Structure formats: structure tokens, C-alpha cells
Amino acid sequence: EEEWYSLLNSDTGPTGQRNKLRLYAKLKTCFKQEKYLEIIKNPMIRSNLTKLRISAHNLAIEKGRYQKPFGNGASNSDHYKSRVCKYCNENKVENEYHFTLECTKYDEQRKCFIESLPIEFRNKSPHELFLLLMKSNISSLISPFAKFIQNITDERKLATLC
């Protein structure tokens, strides 16, 4: 269990690249099954949330991991910064946080989702809210959040087809 935690929190993976599990390390604090796996009954909705949590998705942050850096001498951090969201004009790295709480493409769905949250959660900073939602074991938070993730994932897939 101790070895698991140290590998999870390492800055680099076995290949020397940035650790693929950078987000998961912030979410996972002990070696046990997460409650959301029991709470979310729909396998597709549960799967999309799990993929987001473990970075097994098609966001630019991950897709770019497998592309070669541009130009000679381009550093890994330069390459990381080039993984920009192509679905909005914010010029930000398309990571899980951007996809969930920043990308303007999903403003309408996000607004509806956030308005459905109890007031004490709506007043959190975006970063606090993101971690709270991703770590939540509260059924009344995690179920609507997982459905929101499913909705914006579906919308992203449709936009990719066009």
C-alpha cells in the first residue's frame, strides 16, 4: 500500500514523462474502492467519470502526451502548454479542470448543473468545487456531476464528428 501511494505521487512515470496520474493522485488518498462506483448505477455514466478521474480520456492533455514535441529542442513543458483546447477561444490547456469548469463550449450545461447544486457548494471557488466534485461520495453531488460529465462528453463527441 505504501509503494502504491509513492508511485502514484511521483512527479514522473516510468518513461520519464510527467506522471499520467497527476489528477488521480490528488483525488485518491487511500487504497480502497471509491463510493461513486456504488452510487452511480448507469455503467456508461460511471465509466465516463472514471475515465476523467484516471485521465483515460481524449482531452488534449492526454492526446498530446503521445505526440512528438514541435521543433528541435522543444521541452516537455513547452509540449504540455501546446495541448490547447480547440473547442473554445480561451487558449488554455485542455485538461480535466478546463473541460469541466472553464471551457466556454459547455457554459450552458455547466450553468444549469451549478445552479442545481446546494448554495453552499455554488459559493466555492472553481478549484475547490472541482476537487470537491471529483472527490465526492455524496450521492446528491456525485450523481448530477456524473450526468453533467456524460452530457458534455457526448457534446464533445458530436463536435468532433463535425
Side-chain angles (χ1 to χ4, degrees), residues 3-28 52-57 61-66 76-77 80 83 95-96:
E3 182 182 353
W4 163 85
Y5 193 73
S6 66
L7 285 172
L8 183 62
N9 288 290
S10 172
D11 286 339
T12 57
T15 62
Q17 286 188 324
R18 291 179 80 173
N19 190 343
K20 179 177 171 63
L21 297 174
R22 70 202 173 287
L23 172 62
Y24 191 65
K26 291 178 183 175
L27 306 177
K28 189 77 172 166
L52 191 68
R53 286 175 52 98
I54 66 170
S55 301
H57 46 62
I61 189 72
E62 284 306 312
K63 286 179 77 172
R65 170 182 295 280
Y66 304 103
N76 218 12
S77 71
Y80 174 83
R83 302 174 195 179
N95 58 21
E96 297 85 354

Side-chain angles (χ1 to χ4, degrees), residues 3-146:
E3 182 182 353
W4 163 85
Y5 193 73
S6 66
L7 285 172
L8 183 62
N9 288 290
S10 172
D11 286 339
T12 57
T15 62
Q17 286 188 324
R18 291 179 80 173
N19 190 343
K20 179 177 171 63
L21 297 174
R22 70 202 173 287
L23 172 62
Y24 191 65
K26 291 178 183 175
L27 306 177
K28 189 77 172 166
T29 55
C30 59
F31 190 67
K32 67 176 186 171
Q33 181 174 311
E34 297 294 330
K35 290 274 189 208
Y36 81 89
L37 295 169
E38 298 166 17
I39 294 170
I40 302 166
K41 303 296 184 204
N42 182 307
M44 182 165 291
I45 293 174
R46 187 176 54 238
S47 174
N48 275 314
L49 181 58
T50 300
K51 286 177 182 180
L52 191 68
R53 286 175 52 98
I54 66 170
S55 301
H57 46 62
N58 288 322
L59 301 179
I61 189 72
E62 284 306 312
K63 286 179 77 172
R65 170 182 295 280
Y66 304 103
Q67 297 170 346
K68 297 210 184 266
F70 304 111
N72 291 336
S75 73
N76 218 12
S77 71
D78 291 338
H79 184 50
Y80 174 83
K81 293 172 191 167
S82 72
R83 302 174 195 179
V84 173
C85 179
K86 65 181 183 180
Y87 298 96
C88 70
N89 295 320
E90 298 294 312
N91 201 29
K92 292 187 176 182
V93 172
E94 188 190 32
N95 58 21
E96 297 85 354
Y97 175 79
H98 174 78
F99 174 67
T100 307
L101 291 178
E102 289 183 330
C103 186
T104 56
K105 177 163 185 59
Y106 315 111
D107 278 350
E108 191 175 311
Q109 296 95 318
R110 184 179 308 109
K111 183 178 181 229
C112 290
F113 164 66
I114 290 176
E115 286 175 355
S116 76
L117 295 176
I119 189 79
E120 64 269 19
F121 298 110
R122 286 185 264 158
N123 293 330
K124 301 274 185 202
S125 75
H127 286 281
E128 283 180 303
L129 181 60
F130 178 73
L131 287 175
L132 177 75
L133 292 167
M134 293 293 276
K135 290 179 173 186
S136 181
N137 288 323
I138 303 168
S139 181
S140 61
L141 284 181
I142 199 65
S143 294
F145 178 60

